[in-house]
């Protein structure tokens, strides 16, 4: 029971650690995402500002050239005033867009945070329900285990008595079986000795038969050689006879 309880506590603690780790990772991801969005907004504003400055410098250069060419100071002042107004309006529009984007990101982050907190609360409720169910099951298992333990003890006592009686019968039966196997082994040893003697006789008879066959083969080979030599001598005599006759005719 202690081992099972510690195992359940360890599983609950491990689930809690994993949950906290996931929560920390999600918070880190949200902070990183917010920083990236802020940096992206700043970078876009800076790009717009640089573009506006380039356009402004270009327009100022054109205006200066126009003023130098036309020498119309009044028109130049009017155009410059209008240019300043347009730049101011453009900057105001950029600031308004930036403010709107930041508000939109902040609202989205608030909604995500509310959903995350709601999901965390739901998970906590589920964990509490699971813990309560596990505790109830543990109590029930404990009661069943106690009943089983008492039954097991009674059954164990009966089994010990039966085992003692069975062991005594097994000892008697083993002694009878050993005596019977010893008698069979003694008979088998005698039979094995008889078989070994018979095998020795059979092996000796086979060796004698092989030797007899070998002697017969040697005699046959000798007879064939003698016949071959006689045939060869006969052919030599015939050849010599024909040779002598051919020389006499020649």
């Amino acid at each position: 029971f202690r081992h099972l309880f510690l195992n359940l506590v360890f599983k609950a603690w491990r689930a809690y650690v994993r949950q906290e780790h996931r929560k920390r990772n999600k918070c880190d991801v949200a902070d990183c995402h917010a920083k990236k969005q802020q940096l992206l907004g700043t970078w876009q504003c800076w790009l717009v500002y640089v573009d506006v400055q380039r356009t402004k410098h270009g327009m100022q250069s054109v205006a200066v050239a126009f003023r130098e060419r036309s020498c119309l100071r009044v028109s130049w002042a009017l155009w410059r005033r209008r240019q300043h107004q347009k730049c101011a309006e453009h900057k105001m529009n950029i600031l308004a867009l930036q403010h709107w984007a930041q508000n939109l990101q902040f609202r989205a982050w608030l909604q995500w945070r509310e959903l995350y907190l709601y999901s965390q609360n739901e998970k906590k409720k589920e964990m509490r329900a699971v813990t309560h169910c596990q505790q109830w099951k543990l109590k029930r298992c404990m009661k069943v285990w106690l009943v089983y333990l008492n039954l097991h003890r009674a059954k164990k006592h009966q089994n010990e008595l039966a085992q003692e009686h069975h062991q005594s019968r097994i000892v008697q039966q083993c002694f009878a079986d050993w005596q019977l196997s010893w008698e069979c082994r003694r008979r088998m040893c005698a039979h094995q000795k008889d078989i070994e003697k018979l095998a020795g006789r059979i092996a000796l008879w086979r060796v004698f038969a092989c030797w007899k066959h070998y002697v017969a083969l040697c005699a046959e080979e000798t007879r064939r050689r003698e016949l071959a030599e006689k045939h060869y001598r006969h052919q030599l005599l015939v050849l010599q006879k024909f040779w002598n006759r051919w020389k006499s005719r020649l």
Side-chain angles (χ1 to χ4, degrees):
F1 171 71
R2 183 178 297 171
H3 178 69
L4 181 62
F5 180 74
L6 292 175
N7 190 11
L8 293 174
V9 172
F10 177 73
K11 287 183 179 179
W13 175 79
R14 186 171 58 184
Y16 175 75
V17 171
R18 289 179 179 175
Q19 184 178 359
E20 290 296 324
H21 184 66
R22 292 174 184 171
K23 182 178 178 181
R24 193 179 300 109
N25 290 331
K26 289 181 179 179
C27 291
D28 294 337
V29 171
D31 293 335
C32 182
H33 180 70
K35 290 180 181 179
K36 287 183 179 179
Q37 291 296 326
Q38 290 179 359
L39 184 61
L40 180 62
T42 306
W43 175 254
Q44 290 177 355
C45 293
W46 182 79
L47 289 176
V48 172
Y49 174 74
V50 170
D51 193 11
V52 170
Q53 290 295 325
R54 288 177 181 175
T55 305
K56 182 178 179 181
H57 287 304
M59 294 177 72
Q60 286 179 357
S61 299
V62 172
V64 170
F66 179 76
R67 186 183 63 179
E68 291 177 354
R69 287 195 302 268
S70 61
C71 297
L72 297 175
R73 294 182 180 179
V74 177
S75 298
W76 167 250
L78 181 62
W79 178 84
R80 189 176 181 183
R81 192 179 303 112
R82 288 179 181 177
Q83 184 65 25
H84 283 299
Q85 289 178 358
K86 288 182 180 179
C87 290
E89 290 177 358
H90 187 66
K91 289 181 179 179
M92 291 295 291
N93 290 329
I94 291 172
L95 292 174
L97 289 173
Q98 185 178 2
H99 182 69
W100 177 78
Q102 290 179 355
N103 288 330
L104 185 63
Q105 291 176 359
F106 183 71
R107 289 177 183 175
W109 184 77
L110 288 176
Q111 291 178 358
W112 176 82
R113 186 178 180 183
E114 289 178 358
L115 290 174
Y116 178 74
L117 293 175
Y118 177 76
S119 64
Q120 292 295 323
N121 291 327
E122 291 293 327
K123 288 182 180 179
K124 288 181 180 179
K125 290 179 180 179
E126 291 178 359
M127 290 296 295
R128 290 174 183 173
V130 170
T131 304
H132 179 71
C133 182
Q134 289 177 354
Q135 290 178 356
W136 180 76
K137 288 181 179 179
L138 188 61
K139 290 180 181 179
R140 185 177 178 182
C141 292
M142 189 65 185
K143 291 179 181 179
V144 175
W145 181 75
L146 290 173
V147 174
Y148 171 75
L149 184 62
N150 293 326
L151 292 175
H152 182 70
R153 287 176 180 175
K155 188 176 180 180
K156 185 177 180 181
H157 182 67
Q158 292 178 0
N159 290 331
E160 288 177 355
L161 295 175
Q163 189 174 4
E164 290 178 357
H165 179 68
H166 181 66
Q167 285 179 356
S168 63
R169 289 186 64 187
I170 287 174
V171 169
Q172 294 177 359
Q173 187 176 0
C174 289
F175 180 75
D177 293 338
W178 174 80
Q179 191 174 7
L180 182 62
S181 64
W182 181 79
E183 185 66 25
C184 291
R185 189 175 297 174
R186 186 179 63 79
R187 293 178 182 176
M188 287 295 292
C189 289
H191 184 65
Q192 186 70 25
K193 289 179 181 180
D194 294 336
I195 291 172
E196 289 178 356
K197 290 180 181 179
L198 183 61
R201 292 177 182 177
I202 292 171
L204 185 61
W205 179 79
R206 286 182 180 177
V207 170
F208 179 74
C210 291
W211 177 79
K212 189 177 180 181
H213 181 67
Y214 174 73
V215 170
L217 290 175
C218 290
E220 184 67 22
E221 185 69 23
T222 303
R223 188 178 64 82
R224 288 180 181 179
R225 287 181 181 177
E226 290 177 354
L227 290 174
E229 288 179 357
K230 287 180 181 180
H231 182 69
Y232 180 69
R233 289 175 183 176
H234 180 70
Q235 286 183 352
L236 289 177
L237 291 173
V238 173
L239 288 174
Q240 188 176 6
K241 183 178 180 181
F242 280 104
W243 174 254
N244 292 328
R245 187 179 295 178
W246 180 78
K247 284 196 300 181
S248 63
R249 288 182 182 180
L250 183 63

